[in-house]
Amino acid sequence: MTERKKKRFIAGATCPQCKAMDTLMLFIENNVEKVECVQCGHHMAQPEQQVAKASRAAEQVIGVFKPD
């Protein structure tokens, strides 16, 4: 059984499918952030960890701050 916790609506957000405003609900399910439209049921999930890591591979570090 999956458990949804802390359902929060995203103010001002528009559903990409039905174009309804203020109907997107953000929640965490099995440690994955998900967004669901309460009007049409359209849902989205955060990208896989591998995809997120690959997108950050091109970033460059300018410097590292080390306080004395």
Side-chain angles (χ1 to χ4, degrees):
M1 179 178 198
T2 59
E3 186 177 332
R4 292 183 182 179
K5 294 181 180 180
K6 297 183 184 179
K7 298 176 187 176
R8 296 176 288 176
F9 282 89
I10 305 170
T14 303
C15 175
Q17 186 169 331
C18 70
K19 309 296 184 212
M21 185 179 240
D22 294 333
T23 59
L24 294 181
M25 173 181 62
L26 173 70
F27 59 95
I28 298 177
E29 185 176 67
N30 298 327
N31 294 323
V32 176
E33 284 187 353
K34 296 187 178 186
V35 175
E36 183 177 337
C37 178
V38 295
Q39 183 165 330
C40 71
H42 178 71
H43 60 276
M44 299 170 280
Q46 75 183 41
E48 299 274 338
Q49 290 290 353
Q50 295 171 348
V51 174
K53 287 180 184 177
S55 66
R56 296 195 68 134
E59 291 181 359
Q60 296 178 353
V61 176
I62 296 172
V64 177
F65 177 73
K66 293 184 180 181
D68 292 325

